[in-house]
Amino acid sequence: MGMALKIVGSLVGATVIAYAVDTVISDKKIFGGTTPKTITDKEWCEETDKKFQAWPRTAGPPVVMNPISRQNFIVKSRSD
């Protein structure tokens, strides 16, 4: 029981330290820099998505370029 407690404690501690370091470096930007406009601009994201969907596929059936955000994996034409 003692060894398992040490392992769990060290995993929790490592997770807390990793989260803190990630937050300080990326969110607080301690090394400088800014968040790019391409991430914060909703209009840019919509235009990029339209561009991705307009690309023709040369192999296999048509699929959605970003299935995680769309939650449908195969696009079927209405003529099928």
Side-chain angles (χ1 to χ4, degrees):
M1 182 73 173
M3 185 65 146
L5 201 57
K6 288 181 181 179
I7 292 172
V8 170
S10 63
L11 287 174
V12 170
T15 302
V16 168
I17 290 170
Y19 177 78
V21 169
D22 178 61
T23 301
V24 168
I25 291 174
S26 61
D27 294 343
K28 303 296 181 195
K29 306 230 182 281
I30 63 169
F31 296 119
T34 59
T35 303
K37 184 181 177 198
T38 56
I39 293 174
T40 58
D41 186 10
K42 192 78 170 160
E43 184 179 324
W44 186 91
C45 288
E46 291 170 1
E47 289 300 319
T48 301
D49 192 42
K50 286 178 189 175
K51 182 178 108 177
F52 278 150
Q53 297 310 318
W55 283 352
R57 285 182 45 90
T58 57
V63 296
V64 173
M65 289 296 284
N66 190 355
I68 293 174
S69 67
R70 296 190 183 278
Q71 296 299 312
N72 57 348
F73 300 101
I74 297 177
V75 177
K76 295 184 178 180
S77 66
R78 294 187 185 264
S79 63
D80 290 344

